[in-house]
């Protein structure tokens, strides 16, 4: 994340000091009239109002800016098998809720969900649902809802795959092999 201050160094022939009141920053002069501060590895605790103050031989200049962290999602994963479907979202900020749907049917009430927060204020949210409660021929959809901004951040379709071989086809194949073997034995004698 980079942003510019409205404090300019145009009249600062020999600027003495430049302060952003925060640690973990990278400050560079982008041209002869402007300095840029870049926040490194921005986390929820870094939110807030930042005050910039520039001391020069021509005087002191200052400016403020506000930093907000939102719509952060580092990773997501999902699994599905014959009995359960699971969605996990991590590195999330702000916190969210996982909704489950299948064919316009809301299955969220039957899901088991847990959440934890890390030391940086980011969240990990996981939800599991019993796939037998729905129609296994249609995909299950898990969607990450962010209540504080009133929108879905990510939706994932989970498909249940089953083998298409029926037991009747296997039996027919076995009988066909037996008949071919009997014909070969008769022909050889």
């Amino acid at each position: 994340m980079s942003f510019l201050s409205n404090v300019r160094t145009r009249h600062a022939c020999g600027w003495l000091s430049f302060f952003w009141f925060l640690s973990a920053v990278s400050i560079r002069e982008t041209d002869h009239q402007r300095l840029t501060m870049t926040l490194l590895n921005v986390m929820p605790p870094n939110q807030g109002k930042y005050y910039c103050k520039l001391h020069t031989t021509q005087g002191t200049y200052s400016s403020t800016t506000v930093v907000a962290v939102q719509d952060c999602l580092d990773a997501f994963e999902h699994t599905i098998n014959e009995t359960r479907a699971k969605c996990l979202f991590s590195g999330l900020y702000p916190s969210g809720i996982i909704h489950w749907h299948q064919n316009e049917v809301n299955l969220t009430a039957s899901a088991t969900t847990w959440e934890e927060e890390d030391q940086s204020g980011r969240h990990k949210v996981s939800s599991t649902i019993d796939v037998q409660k729905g129609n296994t021929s249609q995909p299950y959809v898990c969607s990450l809802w962010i209540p504080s901004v009133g929108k879905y951040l990510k939706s994932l379709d989970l498909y249940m795959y089953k083998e298409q071989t029926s037991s009747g086809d296997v039996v027919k194949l076995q009988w066909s092999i037996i008949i071919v073997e009997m014909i070969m034995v008769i022909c050889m004698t």
Side-chain angles (χ1 to χ4, degrees):
M1 161 183 247
S2 295
F3 55 91
L4 301 174
S5 166
N6 289 331
V7 174
R8 296 178 181 258
T9 59
R10 162 182 18 203
H11 301 293
C13 298
W15 58 282
L16 304 175
S17 58
F18 179 79
F19 297 102
W20 281 98
F21 295 98
L22 177 72
S23 60
V25 297
S26 169
I27 299 173
R28 65 184 175 89
E29 188 173 354
T30 56
D31 57 35
H32 294 294
Q33 297 182 7
R34 188 178 297 259
L35 295 172
T36 300
M37 180 190 78
T38 303
L39 296 177
L40 307 173
N41 197 21
V42 176
M43 296 292 163
N46 300 126
Q47 293 187 111
K49 190 173 188 179
Y50 288 76
Y51 179 71
C52 171
K53 192 170 190 178
L54 176 67
H55 295 283
T56 73
T57 55
Q58 301 296 312
T60 301
Y61 307 93
S62 65
S63 179
T64 60
T65 191
V66 176
V67 174
V69 178
Q70 64 182 23
D71 294 352
C72 297
L73 177 61
D74 280 350
F76 53 89
E77 60 185 71
H78 59 82
T79 59
I80 189 167
N81 61 31
E82 299 81 29
T83 59
R84 294 186 174 263
K86 178 181 178 181
C87 279
L88 176 106
F89 299 93
S90 60
L92 175 64
Y93 188 85
S95 180
I97 300 167
I98 297 175
H99 290 169
W100 289 93
H101 291 88
Q102 187 183 46
N103 279 346
E104 306 294 325
V105 176
N106 188 339
L107 304 171
T108 305
S110 63
T112 303
T113 302
W114 64 265
E115 177 180 353
E116 64 184 43
E117 185 176 339
D118 67 16
Q119 67 276 8
S120 299
R122 296 181 305 167
H123 302 266
K124 181 186 289 186
V125 181
S126 176
S127 184
T128 305
I129 191 167
D130 183 354
V131 297
Q132 295 173 0
K133 292 193 185 288
N135 177 353
T136 58
S137 65
Q138 296 296 318
Y140 288 83
V141 179
C142 68
S143 301
L144 180 61
W145 173 254
I146 309 297
S148 63
V149 293
K151 70 177 184 178
Y152 284 102
L153 191 58
K154 183 77 176 169
S155 287
L156 303 170
D157 292 345
L158 287 76
Y159 291 91
M160 177 78 102
Y161 295 105
K162 292 186 175 184
E163 282 193 36
Q164 299 299 317
T165 306
S166 72
S167 60
D169 292 340
V170 173
V171 170
K172 287 178 188 175
L173 178 62
Q174 289 174 340
W175 273 109
S176 299
I177 293 172
I178 291 172
I179 291 174
V180 169
E181 286 180 357
M182 288 173 49
I183 293 173
M184 288 178 65
V185 169
I186 291 173
C187 289
M188 295 174 89
T189 56

